């Protein structure tokens, strides 16, 4: 079907049929294998007619080849023009094979593996009938109180862009139209959802346009430049107007300035939410604002189907605005081949073979080992040797709740727990397991059992964290410490006088006071996914050496939040932290620096950096500088190091961050080995948004930093000069 055939199809559609294409409903509205949908709760109150459902454009949250085929079949029987449904779902970090949560994946800094994870997720989802995934989420995040930081790749614009591209490529593959193992991607949440005030979900976002363009927008743009088919709006306001009704954001910026002509979908219920936001009087005005802003699909509210026709009749909108949206939606259906193959990749038999394939689980395990971040390892307590007796203690010792939020199709009972993995590795008499406490409660008996188990062991492995309900959507917290019972457990175990290795399972950077002090080693495991236990055993016993690095700062305490590495200086920067100065920008009761900075992560080996040299200290618009640094493995293990390159623009027209990541390189070094790592500096890396928002560079002084994290760096200055001067 070509654009002109789509247009001729549209000519046969009534206005109501067209408007119904803009409606997205959840699975229960449709008759699938159950013959009748089960609509309960708020869904039952939605003013949706049978006709709306028969002509609806898309379905949300349904998967499973049999169910999708059944719904599509019945839909086509009732739809007079034979327009297939689009099936969309949240395939965020895996379909059934669950990968680590996105924030963890980012800590691998491994875009190839990240892409592979998205490719596998797409393959499993596509064979199960899914056409579009609501991913990647590329919201830049600086506030760990916000539960959704686990869905993001962190606080850095550069890294967010490279991961956005990797995920889009992984989901969509090279040929979305013909590759039935791919799914269309939908980048979200446009825009700046991650900047919710006070880290409270759905809250106001108020950013300068410069900050928006400089830090928050690049990742969405990167996803679109990579061909991402869809965009989802955000729940928040942007400059005083909710994103879903924001013409400046959606029409002027997204469509006109960036040229996006794919499908724009609201987030769940976000059109109707224009009313409580206070920018629409009623459903009708909400529909008017959203359609004018350019929102094509209304997810899970009925403002469009209830009011768009009336708005056309009254002349408040032209029918052509609806036609534009319908054309985009039908074009996507056409691109996915649905007119010819309405079931697309859905295949009941193949599904059984593809989903949770051992090869997929193997990739999940590999990615999980690369995603964990070693935060502390005193006296080289890790890696463990297999002759040690282990006490495995804590609410995550034998928990399947390591898949994390957004893993609805992952089976918790099938996830490899730590206990299962240890049991494969150690003889029974070398392993003693105790729960110690629940995530948020503790009993005296649990505590006593834990201390008893610990006293008989050589090493205590403590598995603690947040349960997966404590982060994710609406999972915000003002206290980002471990729940008190778990801190109590750690404190009690510390009295046993045995080395403590703490494994953390959580979806956000935590305030780790109480954890760090009582632990000899701390490994941030995040929610590591289906193969979590195996991956952690690989790391604990040194089969794999930790190489992950944080992509979001871990605050010293929640009072510092937001704390991120690429911040501005003030007019009164803090001097030496112990300088006892008064009128400088600092806290009286806490350091300015986070506990663990962006880019931080230890290995079992040690790396030393030296000899940072530049081929020139002067750069022109047409030249480049090559920076070289030596990195040596001065420890005893072969290890992978993620070498990070940052640049600071010393004087700008507007204030500039103290450091900005501009590139990185992963290298593997044998003990005693040294490698030269090079990085190319070009003028385009030095551009930024000026006072008038023009994007360009300034001549002047810059500093290049290279190091193992954003804080411990070598530095070298250089100048950007006009051509002709040297
Ligand atoms: C979330 C989105 C998600 C959508 C559909 C919303 O509540 O904010 O990220 O894609 O639901 O499930």
């Amino acid at each position: 079907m070509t654009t002109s055939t789509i247009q001729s199809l549209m000519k046969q559609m009534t206005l109501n049929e067209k408007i119904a294409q803009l409606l997205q409903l959840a699975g229960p509205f449709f008759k699938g294998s159950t013959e009748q949908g089960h609509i309960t709760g708020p869904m039952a109150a939605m003013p949706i007619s049978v006709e709306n459902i028969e002509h609806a454009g898309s379905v949300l949250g349904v998967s499973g080849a049999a169910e999708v085929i059944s719904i599509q079949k019945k839909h086509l029987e009732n739809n007079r023009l034979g327009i297939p449904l689009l099936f969309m779902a949240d395939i965020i970090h895996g379909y059934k094979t669950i990968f680590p949560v996105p924030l963890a994946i980012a800590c691998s800094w491994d875009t190839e593996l990240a892409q592979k994870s998205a490719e596998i997720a797409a393959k499993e989802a596509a064979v199960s009938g899914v056409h579009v995934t609501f991913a990647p989420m590329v919201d830049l995040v600086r506030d760990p109180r916000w539960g959704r930081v686990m869905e993001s790749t962190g606080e850095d614009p550069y890294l967010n862009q490279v991961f956005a591209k990797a995920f889009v490529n992984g989901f969509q593959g090279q040929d979305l139209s013909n590759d039935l193992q791919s799914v269309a991607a939908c980048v979200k949440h446009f825009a700046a959802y991650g900047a919710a005030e006070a880290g409270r979900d759905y809250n106001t976002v108020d950013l300068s346009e410069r900050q928006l363009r400089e830090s928050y927008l690049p990742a969405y743009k990167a996803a679109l430049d990579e061909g991402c088919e869809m965009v989802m709006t955000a729940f928040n306001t942007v400059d005083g107007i909710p994103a879903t009704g924001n013409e400046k954001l959606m029409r002027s910026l997204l469509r006109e300035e960036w040229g996006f002509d794919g499908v724009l979908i609201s987030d769940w219920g976000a059109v109707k939410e224009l009313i409580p936001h206070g920018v629409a009087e009623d459903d009708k005005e909400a529909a008017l604002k959203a359609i004018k802003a350019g929102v094509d699909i209304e997810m899970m509210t009925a403002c469009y189907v209830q009011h768009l026709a009336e708005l056309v009749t009254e002349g408040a909108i032209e029918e052509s605005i609806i036609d534009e949206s319908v054309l985009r939606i039908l074009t996507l259906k056409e691109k996915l081949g649905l007119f010819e193959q309405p079931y697309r990749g859905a295949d009941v038999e193949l599904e059984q073979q593809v989903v949770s394939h051992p090869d997929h689980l193997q990739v999940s395990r590999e990615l999980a080992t690369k995603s964990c971040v070693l935060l502390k390892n005193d006296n080289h307590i890790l890696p463990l040797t297999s002759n040690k007796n282990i006490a495995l203690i804590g609410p995550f010792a034998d928990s399947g709740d390591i898949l994390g939020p957004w893993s609805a199709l992952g089976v918790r009972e099938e996830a490899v727990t730590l206990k299962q993995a240890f049991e494969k590795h150690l003889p029974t008499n070398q392993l003693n397991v105790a729960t110690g406490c629940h995530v948020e409660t503790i009993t005296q008996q649990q505590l006593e059992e834990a201390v008893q188990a610990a006293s008989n062991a050589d090493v205590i492995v403590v598995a603690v964290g947040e349960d997966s309900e404590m982060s994710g959507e609406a999972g915000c917290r003002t206290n980002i410490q471990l729940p008190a019972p778990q801190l109590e457990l750690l404190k009690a175990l510390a009295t046993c006088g045995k080395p403590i290795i703490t494994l953390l399972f959580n979806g956000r950077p935590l305030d780790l006071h109480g954890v760090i002090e009582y632990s000899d080693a701390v490994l941030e495991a995040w929610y590591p996914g289906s193969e979590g236990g195996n991956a952690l055993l690989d790391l604990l016993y040194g089969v794999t050496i930790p190489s992950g690095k944080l992509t979001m700062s871990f605050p010293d305490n929640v009072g510092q939040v937001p704390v991120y590495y690429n911040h501005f200086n003030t007019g009164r920067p803090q001097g030496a932290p112990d300088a006892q100065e008064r009128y400088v920008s600092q806290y009286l009761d806490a350091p300015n620096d986070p506990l663990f900075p962006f880019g931080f992560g230890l290995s079992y080996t040690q790396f030393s950096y030296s000899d940072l040299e530049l081929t020139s200290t002067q750069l022109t618009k047409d030249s480049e500088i090559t920076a070289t640094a030596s990195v040596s493995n001065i420890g005893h293990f072969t290890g992978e190091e993620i070498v990070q390159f940052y640049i600071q623009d010393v004087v700008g027209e507007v204030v500039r961050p103290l450091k900005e990541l501009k590139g990185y390189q992963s290298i593997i070094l044998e003990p005693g080995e040294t490698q030269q790592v090079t990085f190319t500096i070009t003028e385009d890396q030095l551009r930024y948004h000026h006072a008038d928002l023009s994007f360009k560079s300034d001549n002047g002084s810059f500093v290049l930093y290279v190091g193992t994290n954003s804080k411990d760096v070598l530095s070298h200055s250089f100048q950007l000069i006009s051509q002709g001067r040297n």
Side-chain angles (χ1 to χ4, degrees), residues 60 90 134 148 188-189 232 235 267-268 299 406 473:
L60 139 87
D90 290 277
F134 293 133
R148 301 195 79 167
K188 67 188 188 184
H189 306 82
M232 185 188 290
F235 287 124
D267 201 346
W268 179 296
M299 187 198 293
W406 286 126
E473 187 173 349

Side-chain angles (χ1 to χ4, degrees), residues 210 649 651-656 688-694 696 698:
R210 180 171 312 98
D649 184 348
V651 180
E653 186 189 80
V654 298
V655 291
R656 307 286 296 120
Y688 66 96
H689 292 93
H690 282 61
D692 63 359
L693 295 179
S694 59
K696 58 187 182 194
D698 298 329

Side-chain angles (χ1 to χ4, degrees), residues 34-84:
T34 54
E35 248 321 297
Q36 201 178 356
H38 300 286
I39 311 170
T40 52
M43 285 189 207
M46 277 173 69
I48 296 288
S49 66
V50 172
E51 197 202 346
N52 293 154
I53 299 171
E54 280 177 6
H55 296 288
S58 54
V59 187
L60 139 87
V62 176
S63 64
E67 185 69 356
V68 167
I69 291 170
S70 171
I71 292 179
Q72 187 77 294
K73 190 162 179 286
K74 284 178 188 147
H75 177 77
L76 290 172
E77 281 162 13
N78 289 323
N79 185 287
R80 76 179 180 99
L81 295 169
I83 303 177

Side-chain angles (χ1 to χ4, degrees), residues 441-495:
T441 57
I442 189 165
T443 66
Q444 192 55 29
Q445 191 192 343
Q446 285 175 316
L447 202 56
E448 281 164 16
E449 278 167 15
V451 170
Q452 177 66 34
S455 331
N456 298 329
D458 299 317
V459 174
I460 311 170
V461 175
V462 188
V464 285
E466 299 178 320
D467 67 46
S468 56
E469 286 293 301
M470 291 166 83
S471 56
E473 187 173 349
C476 304
R477 300 181 68 205
T478 59
N479 175 357
I480 56 168
Q481 289 200 318
L482 273 189
Q486 300 186 59
L487 288 173
E488 190 184 335
L489 172 68
L490 257 177
K491 197 170 170 187
L493 293 175
T495 61

Side-chain angles (χ1 to χ4, degrees), residues 282-305:
D282 50 22
D283 286 12
K284 186 173 170 186
E285 195 177 4
L288 178 66
K289 292 217 157 162
I291 196 82
K292 281 176 84 178
V295 175
D296 299 316
I297 299 182
E298 178 183 12
M299 187 198 293
M300 283 306 288
T301 46
C303 305
Y304 278 12
V305 285

